[in-house]
């Protein structure tokens, strides 16, 4: 399954809703409640098996998500945010 197909799957939509609820519908870095996205701490490209793993998913606002993709936050920092 490719990434686009995965992102439109029922499994992803369900998991996304679970992670938003777990993270109290706010960015785990800045506490923003708008423009929320779910970030894969370890990317789909390199860690496909972790695509639905709660411990690989974190709620981020659009700004923090962009920063995460530009290596502003390392995986250990993000993992500590979901504990």
């Amino acid at each position: 399954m490719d990434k686009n197909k995965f992102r439109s799957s029922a499994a992803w939509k369900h998991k996304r809703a679970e992670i938003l609820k777990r993270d109290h519908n706010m960015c785990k870095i800045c506490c923003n409640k708008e423009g929320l996205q779910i970030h894969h701490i370890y990317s789909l490209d390199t860690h496909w098996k972790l695509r639905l793993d709660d411990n690989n998913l974190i709620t981020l606002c659009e700004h923090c998500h962009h920063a995460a993709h530009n290596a502003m936050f390392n995986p250990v920092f993000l993992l500590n945010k979901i504990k």
Side-chain angles (χ1 to χ4, degrees):
M1 177 182 295
D2 69 31
K3 288 192 289 187
N4 289 331
K5 203 174 225 184
F6 166 69
R7 288 189 178 110
S8 64
S9 72
W12 174 244
K13 290 175 184 177
H14 178 75
K15 180 56 69 176
R16 184 182 185 285
E18 284 181 2
I19 298 302
L20 284 167
K21 183 177 180 179
R22 178 199 73 189
D23 294 344
H24 306 288
N25 290 299
M26 71 178 176
C27 177
K28 294 296 282 182
I29 294 174
C30 72
C31 299
N32 190 351
K33 292 189 174 206
E34 296 185 23
L36 299 177
Q37 303 173 352
I38 304 302
H39 175 66
H40 286 88
I41 296 170
Y42 293 105
S43 96
L44 290 173
D45 293 331
T46 58
H47 294 80
W48 182 254
K49 289 182 179 182
L50 298 177
R51 68 191 175 279
L52 295 173
D53 187 325
D54 290 355
N55 296 316
N56 189 46
L57 300 167
I58 186 170
T59 303
L60 300 176
C61 67
E62 185 176 359
H63 174 77
C64 290
H65 196 192
H66 180 73
H69 278 281
N70 286 305
M72 297 295 290
F73 310 115
N74 70 43
V76 173
F77 172 80
L78 294 173
L79 289 168
N80 284 328
K81 289 293 188 180
I82 61 172
K83 291 184 180 181

